[in-house]
Amino acid sequence: MISVNDFRTGLTIEVDGGIWRVLDFQHVKPGKGAAFVRSKLRNLRTGAIQEKTFRAGEKVAKAQIDNRRMQYLYANGDQHVFMDNESYEQIELPAANIEYELKFLKENMEVSIMMYQGETLGVELPNTVELEVTETEPGIKGDTASGGTKPATLETGLVVQVPFFVNQGDRLIINTTDGTYVSRA
């Protein structure tokens, strides 16, 4: 058990039968009444985000999440196959469970698979990934004065806004938390 006063970003807890990750929290001490902790939690099974308020000092169960390094192999219909780098054991995850992560996954990429008591919760991506531009309009010389952007389609099908100087075939670094362009690789 852990006190809500010890919350920190990234902590995983068990509340109301669900496994939740703390995204944000705030300790509030009003002038009148008892102190409380306002938190923003993500359900690791469904991906839903919920705001929840706890009384100060309330205890919640800490969820022990195991992260296993695995390699993304291929898509098999609606299932996506991952292989453990040490035991060569393969697991399949349905596309519905990793819909957001599929925008950044390419074959042979290493990721962390989140496991809770033998149950696979999902894929944890690195902070950034390197992807190739497959389609974008060519940049026009002198078109950079406004500092504008144009859409570019990447090798995984993800469409991001990129600066005008990016061309087809360029390799880009993309932020996986919000799907934005960071820089050229």
Side-chain angles (χ1 to χ4, degrees):
M1 298 295 275
I2 187 170
S3 170
V4 296
N5 297 339
D6 298 328
F7 271 10
R8 63 183 186 281
T9 303
L11 179 72
T12 51
I13 59 172
E14 282 184 73
V15 177
D16 301 331
I19 310 299
W20 302 84
R21 172 164 282 153
V22 177
L23 299 177
D24 193 24
F25 65 96
Q26 179 181 14
H27 295 278
V28 179
K29 175 112 175 77
K32 183 178 180 184
F36 59 91
V37 177
R38 186 177 295 134
S39 63
K40 188 175 189 180
L41 308 172
R42 169 174 289 165
N43 188 319
L44 294 180
R45 289 188 176 119
T46 65
I49 295 177
Q50 178 180 348
E51 292 194 12
K52 192 158 179 64
T53 303
F54 299 94
R55 291 183 314 275
E58 189 175 338
K59 301 275 188 193
V60 293
K62 184 177 180 187
Q64 186 60 46
I65 303 294
D66 297 321
N67 286 324
R68 290 174 54 190
R69 297 294 300 162
M70 292 195 164
Q71 184 177 25
Y72 175 62
L73 295 181
Y74 58 89
N76 184 10
D78 194 34
Q79 299 290 319
H80 294 271
V81 181
F82 294 84
M83 179 184 68
D84 190 310
N85 292 339
E86 294 167 13
S87 68
Y88 302 111
E89 171 191 348
Q90 292 184 5
I91 61 167
E92 291 186 357
L93 293 176
N97 290 12
I98 56 172
E99 202 171 310
Y100 177 77
E101 290 84 355
L102 285 175
K103 298 174 188 174
F104 305 99
L105 282 177
K106 58 183 184 178
E107 290 182 2
N108 301 324
M109 177 185 237
E110 279 203 14
V111 294
S112 275
I113 302 290
M114 295 180 291
M115 309 281 282
Y116 176 72
Q117 297 178 350
E119 174 189 1
T120 304
L121 295 175
V123 175
E124 196 168 289
L125 295 168
N127 293 335
T128 59
V129 293
E130 186 177 314
L131 298 172
E132 185 176 330
V133 177
T134 57
E135 186 182 324
T136 189
E137 298 172 9
I140 300 168
K141 189 170 183 166
D143 216 2
T144 58
S146 64
T149 60
K150 62 181 180 180
T153 305
L154 305 177
E155 61 186 299
T156 60
L158 177 67
V159 177
V160 296
Q161 292 295 319
V162 298
F164 287 124
F165 59 78
V166 172
N167 296 311
Q168 189 169 328
D170 286 354
R171 299 198 62 75
L172 306 179
I173 296 175
I174 305 296
N175 183 342
T176 58
T177 54
D178 56 5
T180 56
Y181 165 85
V182 176
S183 68
R184 280 200 277 198

